[in-house]
Amino acid sequence: MWVEQQLSFDRMHEKAKRILQVNAVVTSEAGIYKQAITPAPLARALMNDLPEVEGSLRVDVSGAVVKSEDQQFVEQGILATDPSFFDFFDFRLLEGNPATALSEPYSVVISEQMAKKYFGDEDPMNHSLRIFQYDPEGNGAEYKITGIIQDCPVHSHLRYSLLISFKTIEVAEPESLTAEGWRNNEYYTYVLLKPVASQSTVEAKFPSFLKKYLGSEMGKQSIRYQYFLTPLTEIHFATDVKYQMQPGTGKTYIMMFSAVALIVLILACINYISLSTAYSTDQFKEVGVRKVLGASKGQLALQYLFDSWLLAVVAMIASIAWIELSKSTFENIFGIQLTALYTFSNLCMLFGVASLAGIISGIYPALILSSFHTIGILKGQFHKGSFGVVMRKGLVVLQYSITISLIIGILVVRRQLHYLESKDLGFQQENLLVLASNGSPEVIPGYAGFANELKSLPGVAGIARSNTSIGGGLDRSSGLIENAEGNRIGISVYTARVDHDYLDTYKIPLLAGRNFIPGNAPDSSGGYIINEAATRFSGYRHPQDAVGQFFSVDGRDGVVIGVVKDFHYADLHEKIEPAALYLLNGYFSRITVRMDGEADKMSIFIANAWKKHYPESVVDFTFLDDRLQQSYKAEHRFSSIFFIFS
């Protein structure tokens, strides 16, 4: 069931074979990687320039506070997309016109679940939701409900709760469609190829296409893009492509689970063969009597083969009952909902596997039992022959070899998980509570009062602001750095805007230089704190050598004032690359609180302080170590199910 569901991702759409996602290979001094995100103007340019493209589609994925009267929640899976969304995909629109539902700015299509959540039994059509996104004033914008869409199927890489019109982004951020927009890789681009077009033909035109639109940009900076296409039905398996909407499942995992399941079945067959031959002496007299009464060798072999097949079919029926009993536990381990067991094709496949296992398991015992001579059986003389001995010994060796291999596999997986859980991340992740502002207009102006109240609590050891959160990855930018030879070279660098208390709150060790100083104007305008990876990239042998050197990100020229120990700003799937911290320019989206008391009790005090200072804003917080563990869900699930199977 699980393997079938994984292999069925995104195959329910009629045009699935012609829908492809545009991805990029990014090459810079820091290395080469693949990414799923692209610029907003790309979709329109592909339609205009490539005759093989029948349609194009842009998608942006985000989360935001959604409010309806006195109800407000933080909703994830908000997709900004074009009206062509309904031309590409076969998600059923229950109410509304697919041609116009997403044609106007500030229009929204909501899922069945969201309709019930916010409106109960009332018809939500032509009502509105206040969404705190793409609203210049920061007070939320009124989005008119223009449609209701079916809840998202579990086997879709597009996970939506709300669809808003991409026109909204064009109105709120008009620069996204200009030449400036080509520098901003934030959106997902899909193309629908014409029936006669091929993927290779389109990809062959990408080099000249990129030269036309990004040639000058790539000439200015030491970064190169190469576009390629990923078929819709392969997106779920493209785990080597960064920034996909949803974490996928590598085909290696699927193959390994399938292999382990097959191995378990083979072991069961071997057990049956071994036990059948070991206890065959109990049936010898029955065989002798049947032969005396005229039974032929073929009839006896067929009878025992039928017995084996019937036992396997009975086991299959018992297995269906076991599936029903264990299904919820399995779903909890994998975090998914299994469907479609009792389809005709699945039941036929299950019956076929059971029949095959029964027949294969019964062939050898049936041949052994039917091959003995009648007189020898009746006299109690059983000559088993050397082949039978070799066969049984070979089966035992195979069983133990498989078992030992699985035990080794368990140990390797467990050690890998222990490494993930015990690895030094370069900062102290325990007892950190991260609060998200979610675009609330109250949070930034009211921060001083909120922070002062928290600092007065005995269980609070630190508080800091930032524009992003460790664990989810930082923003990637292009910059310049002065290297050890005194030359300014291009650098691809991960960046975060932080305040003066950030290093102390996260306990990131400073190796050279100094921290940001409150009120220091040069720090605010051009001070940078970089990591060890950035100093190594620049050729400095010691962190101290980089302090005072020129550094620039996105045209913000300045100098390195400090160097910190390498820390994992993303999960351990990603290697540590050059990173830089610099001061906030007023805006921030995250508040991090370090606690030294009981975390659960302190989180209640912090939530109450939030409600006091920000009465109109949703309390949205997570423990950082919990968020980091979420990054390794796939590994934990793999370990659990591999352990159970083994």
Side-chain angles (χ1 to χ4, degrees):
M1 289 168 68
W2 180 79
V3 169
E4 183 186 58
Q5 185 184 83
Q6 294 299 306
L7 295 178
S8 68
F9 257 73
D10 299 307
R11 295 180 185 272
M12 62 283 201
H13 306 291
E14 183 182 349
K15 301 174 184 175
K17 292 182 179 179
R18 295 197 287 133
I19 300 172
L20 302 101
Q21 187 185 70
V22 184
N23 296 160
V25 176
V26 183
T27 305
S28 67
E29 292 89 345
I32 302 174
Y33 62 93
K34 299 176 183 177
Q35 67 178 29
I37 47 177
T38 52
L42 174 63
R44 191 171 296 171
L46 289 170
M47 276 287 291
N48 293 336
D49 289 24
L50 303 183
E52 295 84 0
V53 175
E54 182 179 308
S56 63
L57 174 71
R58 299 165 296 179
V59 177
D60 183 37
V61 184
S62 61
V65 173
V66 178
K67 187 174 183 179
S68 175
E69 296 181 352
D70 58 344
Q71 297 184 93
Q72 61 175 344
F73 301 95
V74 177
E75 302 292 359
Q76 301 299 326
I78 300 177
L79 270 57
T81 188
D82 294 306
S84 55
F85 182 87
F86 298 107
D87 296 328
F88 274 60
F89 306 113
D90 295 335
F91 300 120
R92 192 158 53 95
L93 197 63
L94 306 177
E95 291 191 52
N97 184 344
T100 60
L102 295 172
S103 60
E104 296 297 325
Y106 296 99
S107 56
V108 59
V109 173
I110 65 176
S111 66
E112 295 174 272
Q113 185 180 4
M114 291 296 105
K116 193 165 213 174
K117 181 176 181 178
Y118 286 97
F119 298 96
D121 296 328
E122 185 182 355
D123 185 4
M125 290 296 289
N126 297 318
H127 284 66
S128 64
L129 290 172
R130 181 171 287 272
I131 303 177
F132 288 79
Q133 195 172 46
Y134 306 118
D135 51 317
E137 302 301 322
N139 296 314
E142 291 292 328
Y143 285 73
K144 182 182 178 181
I145 298 173
T146 54
I148 302 173
I149 192 172
Q150 70 174 124
D151 287 335
C152 190
V154 294
H155 51 293
S156 170
H157 86 282
L158 289 156
R159 307 293 298 167
Y160 58 77
S161 58
L162 306 168
L163 303 177
I164 64 175
S165 61
F166 205 92
K167 283 274 187 185
T168 307
I169 298 179
E170 294 178 359
V171 170
E173 301 173 359
E175 68 280 359
S176 64
L177 293 180
T178 64
E180 181 68 26
W182 281 98
R183 302 189 187 99
N184 188 10
N185 291 289
E186 282 189 13
Y187 308 99
Y188 300 91
T189 303
Y190 298 83
V191 292
L192 176 66
L193 299 187
K194 293 178 180 177
V196 294
S198 69
Q199 177 179 340
S200 58
T201 303
V202 175
E203 288 179 329
K205 294 184 177 183
F206 278 152
S208 58
F209 175 88
L210 278 165
K211 187 176 181 181
K212 176 181 176 181
Y213 289 100
L214 280 171
S216 59
E217 183 66 25
M218 290 192 292
K220 294 176 189 174
Q221 302 183 18
S222 53
I223 189 166
R224 296 288 181 271
Y225 294 96
Q226 292 173 282
Y227 285 158
F228 67 97
L229 299 173
T230 300
L232 178 67
T233 53
E234 294 295 317
I235 292 173
H236 181 63
F237 310 118
T239 53
D240 61 332
V241 180
K242 288 185 175 184
Y243 315 123
Q244 285 286 11
M245 289 188 204
Q246 301 292 332
T249 302
K251 284 190 175 179
T252 304
Y253 276 3
I254 297 172
M255 290 171 63
M256 288 183 71
F257 282 140
S258 302
V260 171
L262 181 62
I263 286 169
V264 172
L265 183 61
I266 290 171
L267 287 174
C269 292
I270 291 173
N271 274 337
Y272 181 81
I273 294 169
S274 300
L275 292 171
S276 295
T277 52
Y279 290 99
S280 60
T281 52
D282 295 342
Q283 296 176 285
F284 284 159
K285 289 185 179 180
E286 177 193 344
V287 172
V289 171
R290 287 182 179 276
K291 283 199 170 187
V292 169
L293 294 176
S296 67
K297 182 178 179 180
Q299 287 174 325
L300 288 170
L302 193 61
Q303 177 204 330
Y304 292 115
L305 203 58
F306 177 78
D307 288 348
S308 175
W309 171 82
L310 185 61
L311 189 60
V313 171
V314 171
M316 180 201 75
I317 295 170
S319 77
I320 292 176
W322 176 243
I323 286 171
E324 287 302 308
L325 289 171
S326 60
K327 184 179 173 184
S328 60
T329 303
F330 187 88
E331 289 178 336
N332 288 336
I333 292 172
F334 272 97
I336 60 173
Q337 183 180 356
L338 295 174
T339 57
L341 170 63
Y342 303 111
T343 62
F344 179 74
S345 60
N346 277 349
L347 291 176
C348 285
M349 183 185 71
L350 188 58
F351 180 78
V353 170
S355 298
L356 186 64
I359 291 169
I360 290 174
S361 301
I363 287 175
Y364 178 67
L367 292 176
I368 291 292
L369 287 168
S370 62
S371 64
F372 287 106
H373 297 294
T374 307
I375 294 175
I377 292 173
L378 295 177
K379 286 183 177 181
Q381 298 171 352
F382 313 117
H383 178 65
K384 299 180 180 179
S386 60
F387 176 76
V389 175
V390 172
M391 179 72 173
R392 284 190 296 276
K393 285 184 177 180
L395 291 175
V396 170
V397 170
L398 179 60
Q399 267 188 299
Y400 277 96
S401 299
I402 291 172
T403 304
I404 290 168
S405 298
L406 290 176
I407 291 171
I408 292 171
I410 291 172
L411 295 175
V412 170
V413 170
R414 291 287 168 157
R415 289 192 66 180
Q416 181 75 353
L417 277 179
H418 177 71
Y419 174 81
L420 290 176
E421 292 167 351
S422 59
K423 167 74 173 166
D424 179 14
L425 300 180
F427 65 94
Q428 293 184 19
Q429 72 266 34
E430 299 83 7
N431 295 327
L432 286 176
L433 189 75
V434 181
L435 299 111
S437 66
N438 292 304
S440 169
E442 295 181 306
V443 174
I444 294 175
Y447 174 76
F450 176 68
N452 288 334
E453 179 164 342
L454 291 193
K455 288 175 182 177
S456 68
L457 296 175
V460 172
I463 182 170
R465 297 162 291 167
S466 62
N467 72 327
T468 186
S469 177
I470 284 180
L474 307 183
D475 296 329
R476 191 160 192 155
S477 303
S478 298
L480 294 170
I481 187 171
E482 188 171 333
N483 65 11
E485 285 74 40
N487 301 316
R488 294 183 181 183
I489 60 172
I491 183 172
S492 179
V493 60
Y494 287 95
T495 62
R497 288 182 175 270
V498 302
D499 67 6
H500 309 85
D501 300 313
Y502 195 82
L503 295 185
D504 293 335
T505 301
Y506 277 83
K507 298 192 181 299
I508 300 174
L510 194 66
L511 301 179
R514 60 174 176 82
N515 196 356
F516 299 111
I517 299 173
N520 186 308
D523 284 1
S524 300
S525 61
Y528 290 96
I529 295 176
I530 63 175
N531 66 350
E532 292 174 280
T535 65
R536 288 193 298 271
F537 173 82
S538 309
Y540 295 109
R541 297 183 62 184
H542 305 290
Q544 184 63 44
D545 298 337
V547 177
Q549 304 300 330
F550 174 85
F551 196 89
S552 175
V553 172
D554 294 335
R556 180 185 184 268
D557 295 346
V559 296
V560 176
I561 64 169
V563 178
V564 292
K565 177 183 176 181
D566 278 342
F567 61 95
H568 286 274
Y569 44 80
D571 59 49
L572 291 175
H573 297 109
E574 307 291 337
K575 69 176 183 179
I576 298 176
E577 295 185 20
L581 307 176
Y582 56 107
L583 284 174
L584 296 164
N585 57 358
Y587 173 81
F588 60 89
S589 61
R590 300 288 188 276
I591 300 172
T592 304
V593 183
R594 174 168 290 282
M595 300 165 290
D596 59 9
E598 295 182 33
D600 291 336
K601 186 182 291 185
M602 288 304 305
S603 66
I604 296 173
F605 292 136
I606 293 168
N608 289 335
W610 180 279
K611 291 174 184 176
K612 173 183 173 183
H613 290 271
Y614 311 128
E616 299 298 320
S617 304
V618 179
V619 181
D620 179 19
F621 66 82
T622 55
F623 289 101
L624 184 63
D625 49 3
D626 289 343
R627 178 182 293 175
L628 293 172
Q629 285 302 313
Q630 291 291 312
S631 305
Y632 312 122
K633 262 187 178 180
E635 283 77 11
H636 281 284
R637 288 169 181 167
F638 175 77
S639 172
S640 298
I641 203 67
F642 189 76
F643 178 77
I644 292 166
F645 280 176
S646 300

